[in-house]
Amino acid sequence: MKKIVLLLLLSISTVAFAQTDTLSITLENVKYPYPVSFINLQTEGQDMRMAYMDVKAPNPNGKSVILLHGKNFGGYYWTNVIKALSDKGYRVIVPDQIGFGKSSKPFIHYSFHLLARFNKQLLDSLGISRTAVLGHSMGGMLATRFALMYPGTTSKLLLENPIGLEDYRAIIPYSSTEDQYKTELKTSAASVKKYYESSYFPEWKPEYDYLVQIAAGVTKSADFPRYAKVAAMTFTMIFEQPVVYEFPLLKVPTVLFIGTADKTIVGKGALSKEDQQKYGQYNILGKTTATQIKGSKLIEFANVGHIPHLQIPDVFLKALIANVD
C-alpha cells in the first residue's frame, strides 16, 4: 500500500509540476486524481462554482463518504483515501470548499454554517440523503458543524486531526482580517514549508513537497491578492467561529483519529516560543475532546503529526475502513 500511495503522490507532483509555472488561484493547471465537476451556487448576489469529485465504486455497497479538506489543502491530497474507500464499495464525494482549491474565490462572509449548507446542496443534487462525513483539520470544524446542522444526513462523523479543539480566541492575540491579509501576502515556499515542518510532520519527506508546491505556486499568480484576501477571510472564520463548546451537542456516532505528535495552532506565529509549547498539544486535546462527545471513539497514532493519511497511510486507512460504518 505504501508503494501505491507514494506512486500516486509522485504522479500528482510530476504531472502538476513538470514545469515550475505559476499556478492559477483556482488550480486549473493542477491535475486532480479523478474527474472534477462543478455545482453552481449563489450567495450575497454572487454566482459561484463549487468543484467536486464524485467517485463511484466499481462494486458499490450502497454507502457514501464525503471528504472535507483542511484550510491549506484541496481535494488533491485525498487520493489514497478515495481509492481505499472506493475499493471497499463506497461512493466518495470530494468537494473543494468555496474559497479553496478549484472552487470560486468570492469576497463573502465566510461561515461554517454557510459552507455546511453548500455541502448539503451538493449532496442533495447528487441524490445522497445519508453519508459518513470525514473532515481533516479545518474540515473537521466544518464536518462538526455539518453534523450539528444535519444529523439526519450524517451517518457517522469521522474527524482526522481536526483543528478547533481549543478556543483560539483565548490563546491568540486578535488579528483583524486586514491584518491577516497583510500576513497572507507574505506567503512564500519557504514560509509554507517552515510551517508544515514545524506543525504538520515530525519528519519531512520528499513526497510531501507537492503540498508546498501547490500552496506556494499560487503566490506567483497575478490574482494572488484575491487568494490572499480569501485566505484571510477564512482565517477569521476559524478564529471567530469555534465549535469546541458544541461537541457535547453532537448526536451522531463519532470517531476521532488523532496523530498525537501534531502541534497545530491556528495563528501560531503570533505566539511566543514558550506559549507555543502550551497549546496545540494533540496528545492531550484528543483525549479531552473524546470525553466531551458522548459515545465517541478515540484512535490515537503515536509519533504521527497533523496528516495521518499521508504520514502513515497503511495504518490510517486500515483504521478508517474499520470504523467508517
Side-chain angles (χ1 to χ4, degrees):
M1 174 64 79
K2 287 183 179 179
K3 184 176 181 181
I4 293 174
V5 171
L6 179 57
L7 287 174
L8 286 169
L9 294 180
L10 290 176
S11 173
I12 293 174
S13 181
T14 300
V15 172
F17 303 104
Q19 299 177 346
T20 55
D21 290 339
T22 298
L23 296 184
S24 75
I25 65 168
T26 48
L27 306 186
E28 277 93 349
N29 39 350
V30 175
K31 182 175 174 60
Y32 275 35
Y34 297 91
V36 175
S37 300
F38 293 88
I39 179 174
N40 294 320
L41 300 168
Q42 187 178 64
T43 191
E44 299 178 26
Q46 298 187 54
D47 294 322
M48 305 168 297
R49 297 201 313 164
M50 182 175 179
Y52 67 94
M53 291 177 280
D54 179 4
V55 183
K56 298 179 175 65
N59 297 297
N61 61 14
K63 301 175 183 179
S64 66
V65 185
I66 186 169
L67 310 182
L68 307 181
H69 61 76
K71 184 180 189 300
N72 294 317
F73 309 102
Y76 55 81
Y77 83 149
W78 286 119
T79 303
N80 61 338
V81 178
I82 299 170
K83 186 177 187 307
L85 290 169
S86 181
D87 286 348
K88 291 296 182 180
Y90 296 91
R91 181 179 180 181
V92 189
I93 311 303
V94 191
D96 279 353
Q97 302 305 319
I98 291 295
F100 299 85
K102 291 181 178 291
S103 294
S104 300
K105 307 293 184 301
F107 293 159
I108 58 173
H109 173 67
Y110 283 89
S111 76
F112 287 118
H113 289 81
L114 182 63
L115 296 185
R117 175 183 287 180
F118 289 157
N119 283 275
K120 181 63 162 60
Q121 287 180 243
L122 172 61
L123 292 171
D124 289 346
S125 74
L126 298 174
I128 297 174
S129 59
R130 193 161 172 78
T131 184
V133 182
L134 170 59
H136 168 250
S137 193
M138 180 199 76
M141 292 184 76
L142 175 55
T144 300
R145 178 59 60 204
F146 185 95
L148 288 165
M149 290 175 65
Y150 307 110
T153 302
T154 309
S155 60
K156 203 160 193 178
L157 177 61
L158 308 164
L159 301 175
E160 178 190 0
N161 280 73
I163 60 171
L165 301 185
E166 49 200 340
D167 187 347
Y168 301 120
R169 300 173 304 177
I171 299 170
I172 308 298
Y174 174 71
S175 174
S176 69
T177 301
E178 186 63 20
D179 293 335
Q180 187 61 28
Y181 173 52
K182 294 174 184 176
T183 299
E184 295 287 351
L185 286 173
K186 299 175 185 177
T187 301
S188 66
S191 69
V192 170
K193 187 170 183 179
K194 181 180 180 181
Y195 181 74
Y196 288 8
E197 285 182 315
S198 65
S199 296
Y200 289 177
F201 297 101
E203 178 185 357
W204 191 262
K205 297 179 181 179
E207 56 261 38
Y208 306 149
D209 285 341
Y210 82 102
L211 300 173
V212 176
Q213 290 171 318
I214 293 178
V218 295
T219 65
K220 302 174 184 178
S221 169
D223 293 324
F224 178 63
R226 170 174 282 273
Y227 184 97
K229 187 61 174 286
V230 170
M233 290 173 164
T234 54
F235 175 92
T236 298
M237 172 180 72
I238 293 168
F239 186 84
E240 294 184 350
Q241 300 174 32
V243 295
V244 63
Y245 305 111
E246 296 175 83
F247 287 133
L249 302 178
L250 286 167
K251 293 180 172 59
V252 301
T254 302
V255 182
L256 290 154
F257 302 90
I258 302 293
T260 59
D262 192 357
K263 306 295 183 186
T264 301
I265 310 169
V266 175
K268 185 175 185 176
L271 294 178
S272 67
K273 294 293 184 182
E274 184 178 67
D275 282 342
Q276 287 181 16
Q277 300 306 311
K278 296 179 183 178
Y279 306 106
Q281 303 298 313
Y282 276 70
N283 58 325
I284 298 171
L285 292 171
K287 295 180 179 66
T288 301
T289 304
T291 64
Q292 295 173 336
I293 304 174
K294 185 177 180 179
S296 66
K297 181 177 181 179
L298 173 64
I299 299 174
E300 294 183 309
F301 307 112
N303 302 314
V304 175
H306 191 58
I307 318 179
H309 76 261
L310 295 184
Q311 187 182 340
I312 50 162
D314 288 355
V315 175
F316 176 81
L317 292 174
K318 182 178 180 181
L320 176 63
I321 295 301
N323 289 278
V324 69
D325 289 330

